Amino acid sequence: MSNKHNQKARHRNTKNGPLNLVGPKVAQLRKKQKPVMTQEDLAGKLAVQGVLIDRSGIAKIETQRRTVIDIELVAIAKALKTVPDNLLP
């Protein structure tokens, strides 16, 4: 798969647009963690809080191909050591 095609695939969402607004910021803040937090790491931190989203689900959130409910948003923010408002654009 070419790099150009790969970039398109990573940012693809539904025909009607993105399914969430927080995905890009989740990815950005996850990667800014020291050490860098993997999607698997984030999934584990969410599981400790009782929120079950696997690595694939995290990837879909980050690429705006999965919705995020309020409980998940709060847990993601906590795992990323921030507040939910900081995940909004």
Side-chain angles (χ1 to χ4, degrees):
M1 193 182 291
S2 74
N3 192 26
K4 187 176 182 180
H5 180 70
N6 228 0
Q7 288 176 338
K8 283 184 180 181
R10 278 189 293 178
H11 298 292
R12 185 179 305 144
N13 44 45
T14 68
K15 291 178 184 177
N16 297 324
L19 294 179
N20 71 61
L21 297 175
V22 300
K25 193 70 174 227
V26 170
Q28 178 187 31
L29 292 176
R30 177 181 60 77
K31 293 172 187 175
K32 282 187 175 182
Q33 300 293 308
K34 301 286 184 195
V36 172
M37 182 186 296
T38 65
Q39 291 173 337
E40 193 69 42
D41 294 335
L42 179 54
K45 289 182 181 291
L46 295 176
V48 168
Q49 297 181 64
V51 174
L52 302 179
I53 304 174
D54 63 9
R55 189 217 48 84
S56 174
I58 300 296
K60 288 177 182 175
I61 288 170
E62 291 181 355
T63 55
Q64 299 177 301
R65 293 180 293 134
R66 180 192 182 282
T67 59
V68 178
I69 62 172
D70 56 359
I71 293 168
E72 294 171 335
L73 180 66
V74 171
I76 291 168
K78 184 175 179 181
L80 294 173
K81 300 176 185 167
T82 191
V83 295
D85 282 353
N86 289 341
L87 298 178
L88 297 171

